[in-house]
Amino acid sequence: MSLPDGDAKSGAKIFKIKCATCHTYNSGGASKTGPNLHALFGRKSGTVEGYSYTQANRDKGVVWNDDTLFDYLENPKKYIPGTKMAFAGFKKPQERADVIAFLKEATA
């Protein structure tokens, strides 16, 4: 499936409800249950300094971009078996696209 056009405003609302409990995205922000997402795009999985990743995340070696995030956010545990990310995923493609659009703006 191709990535639909995302709406960053809608993605911000979704992020606040479903992601912000575990993730921050501002420069210099602390990692929480999940890693800080600042500078996410173009970064290799498992590489945020000071965050304790599973071996599976470190070994996956995926570089985060629109397409890899779209696939990952559908079902994180299927995409990276052994991840500690507890979130089940966004089943709706539009929700994933919206969150990605928000993250592209917010983490740059």
Side-chain angles (χ1 to χ4, degrees), residues 24-32 35-38 48:
T24 60
Y25 56 85
N26 55 314
S27 177
S31 290
K32 296 161 86 174
N36 176 283
L37 301 177
H38 184 73
V48 170

Side-chain angles (χ1 to χ4, degrees), residues 7 13 29 44 50 60 74 77 82 84 97-98:
D7 177 347
K13 291 176 187 173
K44 189 175 171 184
K60 181 69 174 182
E74 181 178 17
K77 289 190 180 293
K84 63 182 172 182
D98 291 349

Side-chain angles (χ1 to χ4, degrees), residues 2-12 14 41 66 70 92-105:
S2 63
L3 182 73
D5 289 336
D7 177 347
K9 188 174 179 179
S10 177
I14 295 167
F41 290 83
D66 293 20
F70 188 74
K92 296 178 182 175
Q94 191 60 56
E95 284 188 346
R96 294 194 311 265
D98 291 349
V99 169
I100 291 166
F102 165 70
L103 288 172
K104 281 183 87 167
E105 290 182 5

Side-chain angles (χ1 to χ4, degrees), residues 44-45 55-62 64 78-81:
K44 189 175 171 184
S45 64
Q55 191 64 45
N57 277 84
R58 290 190 300 272
D59 290 348
K60 181 69 174 182
V62 65
W64 298 120
K78 182 178 178 184
Y79 193 82
I80 303 180

